[in-house]
């Protein structure tokens, strides 16, 4: 009797490193353990780089556990222009919804931040770059109107690298004015709006509601501005200052009131609300 060669299919598979276990930091290039980064609220343990985080993760980091009540969950984008670039806008929406688990690039609602009731909205940088289409604008507007009605502090966390969403044309651009008008009325009624700028906050978002806070705070080294550096250099035909369009540069020039490390953001926002002392309406 001769020994048969073992079937290769019967051999145990080699155990490798599970996919997604490690992250490469774009700042220091270190390979870091994902779970450690998550424990640090999305911050590199080697260089303190602030990774981008999704809207739901941001809400979990800021609000008291189980306190968030999401509003406008059934609001969906449509394709009024039949827009097609590399693929139809309808297909792009479906793809982004599947990738992020979100209906659109904004989540809004009511919650508690260290026991303080707030209305909060967050844009997600992973859903078509957090760009502002009709749904995002409508959610932000209605959230602001509800904060006015309830006399609650309003927090908007911006994470948008796309500004107004080109796929919806002028309808997208109109959202800048609509949200700004709602914030103007909220201010007249004595509301307190905290704008939180994260990396990135660009385009029409930076040019409208993100810059209108009673207090404007930013995370460290966030990219903030209207057009990208290459576009500006091509326009002005001159080199840009070092650190241009970073939160540190903008704070130095009066655009940002304070830069706050992510681990301190929750407590700092609560302190701002305490200083303002807005009385909530009876509901």
């Amino acid at each position: 009797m001769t020994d048969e060669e073992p079937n290769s299919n019967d051999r145990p598979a080699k155990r490798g490193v599970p996919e997604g276990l490690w992250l490469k930091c774009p700042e220091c290039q270190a390979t870091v353990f994902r779970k450690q980064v998550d424990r640090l609220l999305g911050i590199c343990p080697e260089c303190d780089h602030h990774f981008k985080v999704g809207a739901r993760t941001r809400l979990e980091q800021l609000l008291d556990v189980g306190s968030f009540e999401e509003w406008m969950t059934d609001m969906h984008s449509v394709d009024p222009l039949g827009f097609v670039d590399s693929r139809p806008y309808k297909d792009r929406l479906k793809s982004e919804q599947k990738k992020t688990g979100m209906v659109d690039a904004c989540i809004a609602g009511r919650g508690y931040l260290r026991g303080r009731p707030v209305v909060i909205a967050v844009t997600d940088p992973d859903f078509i770059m957090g760009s502002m289409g009709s749904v995002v604008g409508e959610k932000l507007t209605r959230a602001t109107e509800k904060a006015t009605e309830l006399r609650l502090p309003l927090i908007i966390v911006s994470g948008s690298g796309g500004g107004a969403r080109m796929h919806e044309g002028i309808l997208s651009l109109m959202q800048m004015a609509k949200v700004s008008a709602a914030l103007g009325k909220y201010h007249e009624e004595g509301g307190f709006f905290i704008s939180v700028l994260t990396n990135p906050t660009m385009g029409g978002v930076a040019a409208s509601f993100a810059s209108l806070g009673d207090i404007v705070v930013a995370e460290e080294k966030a990219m903030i501005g209207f057009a990208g550096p290459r576009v500006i250099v091509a326009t002005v035909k001159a080199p840009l200052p070092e650190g241009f369009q970073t939160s540190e540069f903008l704070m130095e020039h009066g655009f940002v009131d304070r830069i706050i490390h992510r681990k301190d953001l929750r407590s700092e926002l609560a302190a701002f609300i305490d200083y303002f002392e807005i009385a909530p309406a009876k509901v």
Side-chain angles (χ1 to χ4, degrees):
M1 179 181 292
T2 58
D3 293 332
E4 295 182 0
E5 279 290 318
N7 191 322
S8 60
N9 294 329
D10 296 333
R11 295 170 183 168
K14 292 183 179 180
R15 297 181 64 183
V17 178
E19 187 177 351
L21 191 61
W22 300 88
L23 290 172
K24 187 173 183 179
C25 176
E27 185 72 20
C28 68
Q29 304 301 309
T31 301
V32 293
F33 192 38
R34 180 184 290 272
K35 287 187 177 180
Q36 186 179 10
V37 172
D38 291 342
R39 283 196 297 268
L40 295 174
L41 306 180
I43 295 170
C44 175
E46 300 294 330
C47 70
D48 227 29
H49 170 73
H50 287 47
F51 285 89
K52 296 177 186 177
V53 297
R56 295 199 183 278
T57 300
R58 182 74 65 172
L59 290 168
E60 291 172 1
Q61 292 177 356
L62 291 177
L63 299 181
D64 300 346
V65 176
S67 71
F68 182 60
E69 173 194 347
E70 186 175 354
W71 297 337
M72 301 166 282
T73 57
D74 59 347
M75 194 176 293
H76 293 74
S77 289
V78 294
D79 185 15
L81 305 179
F83 191 92
V84 179
D85 49 6
S86 59
R87 56 178 163 164
Y89 181 41
K90 287 182 179 180
D91 293 346
R92 186 177 297 278
L93 285 171
K94 291 177 182 178
S95 174
E96 294 292 310
Q97 289 164 355
K98 182 178 180 180
K99 179 183 76 174
T100 64
M102 296 175 59
V103 176
D104 212 290
C106 179
I107 300 176
R110 174 177 173 169
Y112 286 83
L113 193 157
R114 287 186 175 267
R116 298 148 181 87
V118 297
V119 173
I120 185 168
V122 185
T123 60
D124 194 304
D126 287 333
F127 194 107
I128 313 184
M129 299 176 67
S131 54
M132 181 169 54
S134 299
V135 166
V136 173
E138 187 67 16
K139 283 190 174 185
L140 292 171
T141 300
R142 292 191 190 186
T144 302
E145 291 171 344
K146 198 65 176 177
T148 306
E149 176 189 336
L150 299 176
R151 294 188 54 79
L152 288 176
L154 173 65
I155 299 171
I156 299 180
V157 183
S158 302
S160 172
R165 190 176 298 173
M166 66 175 184
H167 311 78
E168 297 179 22
I170 190 64
L171 298 175
S172 179
L173 292 172
M174 289 168 59
Q175 307 310 313
M176 297 169 60
K178 185 170 73 175
V179 179
S180 298
L183 286 170
K185 183 176 180 181
Y186 176 69
H187 179 75
E188 291 174 0
E189 295 292 326
F192 180 49
F193 168 36
I194 304 174
S195 180
V196 181
L197 312 182
T198 70
N199 183 37
T201 301
M202 299 294 291
V205 170
S208 57
F209 66 86
S211 61
L212 296 178
D214 295 294
I215 293 180
V216 179
V217 302
E219 290 191 331
E220 297 179 2
K221 298 180 181 178
M223 184 178 179
I224 304 165
F226 182 64
R230 285 182 296 180
V231 175
I232 297 173
V233 169
T235 303
V236 302
K237 310 297 183 184
L240 300 176
E242 185 177 352
F244 181 70
Q245 290 188 324
T246 63
S247 47
E248 288 76 10
F249 183 90
L250 293 176
M251 182 174 174
E252 183 181 340
H253 290 80
F255 185 88
V256 170
D257 296 309
R258 183 178 295 184
I259 295 172
I260 304 176
H261 194 284
R262 188 175 293 167
K263 66 180 176 60
D264 300 320
L265 188 57
R266 177 173 148 89
S267 58
E268 291 280 346
L269 294 182
F272 290 146
I273 293 169
D274 287 344
Y275 292 147
F276 187 73
E277 293 184 349
I278 186 171
K282 294 180 180 179
V283 292

